[in-house]
Amino acid sequence: MAETRRRLRSSTVVLGGMGVLAAALSACGSEPDRRCVDRDSYDYINGYKIVADKNCASGSSSSSYGKSRKKTGRTTTDADWYYDADVSGRYADNGTFSRSEAVDRGGFGCSGSGSGGG
């Protein structure tokens, strides 16, 4: 009976360890968190104002300024995807407009240098 318990515990540890490793490796290849923001709305204290996702291009953005300028009602929104930002209410700050830079920031198991940016 003791051998059965030991075997069960060791297999649980192995399976649990494989799950953690799989999660770490798959997180590296996943898309970075992104928010659609108005590039013209930057506030020194709050950051960029988050707008509806429909204002941003459906695909990944490069860092080209003015890529998704859309007229919504009477105002024009210069919207773009903002990656890996700190979100507070309807504002996002300390992120990057470069998807490749957001991916390079990486995490456990990723090839990025882990340096910040913005």
Side-chain angles (χ1 to χ4, degrees):
M1 183 70 133
E3 288 179 35
T4 305
R5 281 189 193 154
R6 266 192 221 123
R7 241 184 271 138
L8 178 61
R9 276 189 244 150
S10 64
S11 64
T12 303
V13 170
V14 169
L15 289 175
M18 290 176 64
V20 169
L21 180 61
L25 292 176
S26 66
C28 182
S30 65
E31 287 291 314
D33 181 46
R34 68 182 186 180
R35 299 283 192 266
C36 185
V37 299
D38 181 359
R39 292 184 81 131
D40 294 333
S41 69
Y42 186 76
D43 178 272
Y44 182 74
I45 295 172
N46 297 315
Y48 292 98
K49 184 169 175 61
I50 298 173
V51 296
D53 286 355
K54 67 181 179 181
N55 293 312
C56 286
S58 59
S60 298
S61 168
S62 65
S63 59
S64 61
Y65 187 75
K67 184 175 183 182
S68 292
R69 189 169 282 276
K70 293 193 177 187
K71 188 168 182 160
T72 56
R74 287 180 276 189
T75 61
T76 302
T77 302
D78 185 19
D80 204 354
W81 292 114
Y82 194 52
Y83 297 94
D84 287 343
D86 297 330
V87 176
S88 177
R90 296 297 303 156
Y91 289 89
D93 201 11
N94 299 321
T96 179
F97 286 104
S98 169
R99 182 189 171 282
S100 61
E101 185 177 318
V103 172
D104 285 345
R105 288 180 184 189
F108 179 77
C110 296
S111 61
S113 61
S115 63

mmCIF file of all heavy atoms in Angstrom, residues 5 10 17 20 24 31 37-39 41-42 44 47 52-53 55 58 67 83 101 103 106 113 118:
data_model
loop_
_atom_site.group_PDB
_atom_site.id
_atom_site.type_symbol
_atom_site.label_atom_id
_atom_site.label_comp_id
_atom_site.label_asym_id
_atom_site.label_seq_id
_atom_site.Cartn_x
_atom_site.Cartn_y
_atom_site.Cartn_z
ATOM 1 N N ARG A 5 1.066 4.543 -2.779
ATOM 2 C CA ARG A 5 0.970 5.957 -2.419
ATOM 3 C C ARG A 5 2.181 6.722 -2.937
ATOM 4 O O ARG A 5 2.052 7.813 -3.448
ATOM 5 C CB ARG A 5 0.879 6.118 -0.902
ATOM 6 C CG ARG A 5 -0.485 5.838 -0.383
ATOM 7 C CD ARG A 5 -0.575 6.213 1.070
ATOM 8 N NE ARG A 5 -1.779 5.663 1.640
ATOM 9 C CZ ARG A 5 -1.947 5.375 2.903
ATOM 10 N NH1 ARG A 5 -0.967 5.594 3.758
ATOM 11 N NH2 ARG A 5 -3.091 4.897 3.333
ATOM 12 N N SER A 10 4.518 10.633 -6.637
ATOM 13 C CA SER A 10 5.581 11.005 -7.565
ATOM 14 C C SER A 10 5.013 11.280 -8.955
ATOM 15 O O SER A 10 5.456 12.196 -9.646
ATOM 16 C CB SER A 10 6.669 9.933 -7.618
ATOM 17 O OG SER A 10 6.143 8.730 -8.132
ATOM 18 N N GLY A 17 4.522 19.231 -12.576
ATOM 19 C CA GLY A 17 5.692 19.931 -13.111
ATOM 20 C C GLY A 17 5.602 20.122 -14.613
ATOM 21 O O GLY A 17 5.964 21.170 -15.147
ATOM 22 N N VAL A 20 3.198 23.023 -15.355
ATOM 23 C CA VAL A 20 3.816 24.327 -15.143
ATOM 24 C C VAL A 20 4.745 24.663 -16.303
ATOM 25 O O VAL A 20 4.740 25.787 -16.816
ATOM 26 C CB VAL A 20 4.587 24.345 -13.799
ATOM 27 C CG1 VAL A 20 5.447 25.590 -13.679
ATOM 28 C CG2 VAL A 20 3.615 24.245 -12.637
ATOM 29 N N ALA A 24 4.303 27.790 -18.986
ATOM 30 C CA ALA A 24 5.357 28.797 -19.158
ATOM 31 C C ALA A 24 5.768 28.921 -20.617
ATOM 32 O O ALA A 24 5.946 30.020 -21.133
ATOM 33 C CB ALA A 24 6.565 28.440 -18.296
ATOM 34 N N GLU A 31 -0.204 35.984 -27.567
ATOM 35 C CA GLU A 31 -0.289 37.401 -27.898
ATOM 36 C C GLU A 31 -0.156 38.238 -26.626
ATOM 37 O O GLU A 31 -0.707 37.887 -25.587
ATOM 38 C CB GLU A 31 -1.643 37.699 -28.543
ATOM 39 C CG GLU A 31 -1.771 37.191 -29.945
ATOM 40 C CD GLU A 31 -0.881 37.952 -30.920
ATOM 41 O OE1 GLU A 31 -0.851 39.189 -30.870
ATOM 42 O OE2 GLU A 31 -0.204 37.282 -31.716
ATOM 43 N N VAL A 37 -6.266 52.443 -27.934
ATOM 44 C CA VAL A 37 -6.216 53.763 -27.311
ATOM 45 C C VAL A 37 -6.195 54.860 -28.369
ATOM 46 O O VAL A 37 -5.829 54.635 -29.513
ATOM 47 C CB VAL A 37 -4.973 53.931 -26.394
ATOM 48 C CG1 VAL A 37 -4.991 52.911 -25.261
ATOM 49 C CG2 VAL A 37 -3.683 53.839 -27.176
ATOM 50 N N ASP A 38 -6.574 56.059 -27.959
ATOM 51 C CA ASP A 38 -6.496 57.237 -28.811
ATOM 52 C C ASP A 38 -5.122 57.863 -28.588
ATOM 53 O O ASP A 38 -4.820 58.352 -27.497
ATOM 54 C CB ASP A 38 -7.605 58.219 -28.448
ATOM 55 C CG ASP A 38 -7.609 59.468 -29.311
ATOM 56 O OD1 ASP A 38 -6.730 59.594 -30.198
ATOM 57 O OD2 ASP A 38 -8.485 60.321 -29.098
ATOM 58 N N ARG A 39 -4.287 57.860 -29.618
ATOM 59 C CA ARG A 39 -2.917 58.366 -29.494
ATOM 60 C C ARG A 39 -2.875 59.851 -29.190
ATOM 61 O O ARG A 39 -1.900 60.341 -28.639
ATOM 62 C CB ARG A 39 -2.136 58.083 -30.770
ATOM 63 C CG ARG A 39 -1.883 56.603 -30.992
ATOM 64 C CD ARG A 39 -1.026 56.393 -32.207
ATOM 65 N NE ARG A 39 0.361 56.625 -31.850
ATOM 66 C CZ ARG A 39 1.357 55.810 -32.134
ATOM 67 N NH1 ARG A 39 1.128 54.705 -32.779
ATOM 68 N NH2 ARG A 39 2.574 56.089 -31.768
ATOM 69 N N SER A 41 -4.809 61.407 -27.108
ATOM 70 C CA SER A 41 -5.452 61.685 -25.823
ATOM 71 C C SER A 41 -4.512 61.568 -24.626
ATOM 72 O O SER A 41 -4.979 61.501 -23.494
ATOM 73 C CB SER A 41 -6.614 60.714 -25.614
ATOM 74 O OG SER A 41 -6.112 59.400 -25.403
ATOM 75 N N TYR A 42 -3.191 61.552 -24.840
ATOM 76 C CA TYR A 42 -2.273 61.287 -23.730
ATOM 77 C C TYR A 42 -2.390 62.341 -22.637
ATOM 78 O O TYR A 42 -2.389 63.539 -22.887
ATOM 79 C CB TYR A 42 -0.823 61.225 -24.216
ATOM 80 C CG TYR A 42 0.116 60.813 -23.098
ATOM 81 C CD1 TYR A 42 0.181 59.490 -22.690
ATOM 82 C CD2 TYR A 42 0.888 61.748 -22.433
ATOM 83 C CE1 TYR A 42 1.002 59.095 -21.670
ATOM 84 C CE2 TYR A 42 1.728 61.367 -21.400
ATOM 85 C CZ TYR A 42 1.780 60.041 -21.019
ATOM 86 O OH TYR A 42 2.593 59.658 -19.986
ATOM 87 N N TYR A 44 -0.578 63.260 -18.890
ATOM 88 C CA TYR A 44 0.627 62.974 -18.118
ATOM 89 C C TYR A 44 0.340 62.121 -16.887
ATOM 90 O O TYR A 44 1.123 61.246 -16.542
ATOM 91 C CB TYR A 44 1.299 64.292 -17.707
ATOM 92 C CG TYR A 44 2.577 64.093 -16.935
ATOM 93 C CD1 TYR A 44 3.733 63.671 -17.577
ATOM 94 C CD2 TYR A 44 2.624 64.297 -15.564
ATOM 95 C CE1 TYR A 44 4.910 63.469 -16.886
ATOM 96 C CE2 TYR A 44 3.801 64.101 -14.857
ATOM 97 C CZ TYR A 44 4.936 63.694 -15.509
ATOM 98 O OH TYR A 44 6.092 63.487 -14.826
ATOM 99 N N GLY A 47 -2.331 58.687 -18.649
ATOM 100 C CA GLY A 47 -1.886 57.919 -19.800
ATOM 101 C C GLY A 47 -2.815 58.131 -20.980
ATOM 102 O O GLY A 47 -3.400 59.204 -21.143
ATOM 103 N N ALA A 52 -13.008 52.165 -27.972
ATOM 104 C CA ALA A 52 -13.566 50.884 -28.425
ATOM 105 C C ALA A 52 -12.619 50.201 -29.410
ATOM 106 O O ALA A 52 -11.981 50.859 -30.237
ATOM 107 C CB ALA A 52 -14.921 51.110 -29.079
ATOM 108 N N ASP A 53 -12.530 48.881 -29.322
ATOM 109 C CA ASP A 53 -11.650 48.093 -30.191
ATOM 110 C C ASP A 53 -11.951 48.308 -31.673
ATOM 111 O O ASP A 53 -11.056 48.200 -32.508
ATOM 112 C CB ASP A 53 -11.763 46.605 -29.871
ATOM 113 C CG ASP A 53 -11.073 46.240 -28.567
ATOM 114 O OD1 ASP A 53 -10.433 47.120 -27.954
ATOM 115 O OD2 ASP A 53 -11.173 45.069 -28.170
ATOM 116 N N ASN A 55 -12.249 50.894 -33.216
ATOM 117 C CA ASN A 55 -11.495 52.032 -33.730
ATOM 118 C C ASN A 55 -10.099 51.643 -34.193
ATOM 119 O O ASN A 55 -9.463 52.392 -34.933
ATOM 120 C CB ASN A 55 -11.385 53.130 -32.678
ATOM 121 C CG ASN A 55 -12.723 53.749 -32.371
ATOM 122 O OD1 ASN A 55 -13.467 54.099 -33.274
ATOM 123 N ND2 ASN A 55 -13.048 53.853 -31.101
ATOM 124 N N SER A 58 -8.020 45.739 -37.335
ATOM 125 C CA SER A 58 -8.237 44.398 -36.805
ATOM 126 C C SER A 58 -6.949 43.609 -36.646
ATOM 127 O O SER A 58 -6.830 42.772 -35.773
ATOM 128 C CB SER A 58 -9.206 43.623 -37.694
ATOM 129 O OG SER A 58 -8.680 43.534 -38.995
ATOM 130 N N LYS A 67 -2.051 55.256 -38.217
ATOM 131 C CA LYS A 67 -2.455 54.125 -39.038
ATOM 132 C C LYS A 67 -3.971 53.970 -39.097
ATOM 133 O O LYS A 67 -4.514 53.664 -40.130
ATOM 134 C CB LYS A 67 -1.816 52.859 -38.491
ATOM 135 C CG LYS A 67 -2.098 51.646 -39.347
ATOM 136 C CD LYS A 67 -1.353 50.455 -38.857
ATOM 137 C CE LYS A 67 -1.602 49.279 -39.766
ATOM 138 N NZ LYS A 67 -0.961 48.096 -39.318
ATOM 139 N N TYR A 83 0.228 47.959 -26.248
ATOM 140 C CA TYR A 83 0.514 46.640 -25.677
ATOM 141 C C TYR A 83 1.109 46.698 -24.275
ATOM 142 O O TYR A 83 1.887 47.595 -23.957
ATOM 143 C CB TYR A 83 1.490 45.896 -26.594
ATOM 144 C CG TYR A 83 0.938 45.619 -27.968
ATOM 145 C CD1 TYR A 83 1.180 46.480 -29.028
ATOM 146 C CD2 TYR A 83 0.157 44.496 -28.195
ATOM 147 C CE1 TYR A 83 0.674 46.227 -30.288
ATOM 148 C CE2 TYR A 83 -0.359 44.234 -29.456
ATOM 149 C CZ TYR A 83 -0.099 45.106 -30.492
ATOM 150 O OH TYR A 83 -0.615 44.855 -31.730
ATOM 151 N N GLU A 101 8.051 44.756 -29.665
ATOM 152 C CA GLU A 101 8.716 45.119 -28.411
ATOM 153 C C GLU A 101 7.997 44.492 -27.224
ATOM 154 O O GLU A 101 8.622 44.040 -26.276
ATOM 155 C CB GLU A 101 8.750 46.633 -28.248
ATOM 156 C CG GLU A 101 9.528 47.084 -27.027
ATOM 157 C CD GLU A 101 9.603 48.595 -26.917
ATOM 158 O OE1 GLU A 101 9.814 49.256 -27.944
ATOM 159 O OE2 GLU A 101 9.455 49.090 -25.792
ATOM 160 N N VAL A 103 6.361 41.655 -27.246
ATOM 161 C CA VAL A 103 6.700 40.236 -27.252
ATOM 162 C C VAL A 103 8.126 40.045 -26.741
ATOM 163 O O VAL A 103 8.409 39.122 -25.991
ATOM 164 C CB VAL A 103 6.530 39.634 -28.663
ATOM 165 C CG1 VAL A 103 7.072 38.226 -28.724
ATOM 166 C CG2 VAL A 103 5.061 39.651 -29.069
ATOM 167 N N GLY A 106 8.983 39.639 -23.015
ATOM 168 C CA GLY A 106 9.013 38.231 -22.626
ATOM 169 C C GLY A 106 8.623 37.949 -21.193
ATOM 170 O O GLY A 106 8.007 38.730 -20.510
ATOM 171 N N SER A 113 14.902 40.046 -23.605
ATOM 172 C CA SER A 113 15.839 40.503 -22.591
ATOM 173 C C SER A 113 15.156 40.901 -21.307
ATOM 174 O O SER A 113 15.787 41.063 -20.276
ATOM 175 C CB SER A 113 16.629 41.701 -23.122
ATOM 176 O OG SER A 113 15.734 42.760 -23.422
ATOM 177 N N GLY A 118 8.574 51.908 -23.622
ATOM 178 C CA GLY A 118 7.321 52.632 -23.632
ATOM 179 C C GLY A 118 7.342 53.779 -24.441
ATOM 180 O O GLY A 118 7.491 54.480 -25.168
#
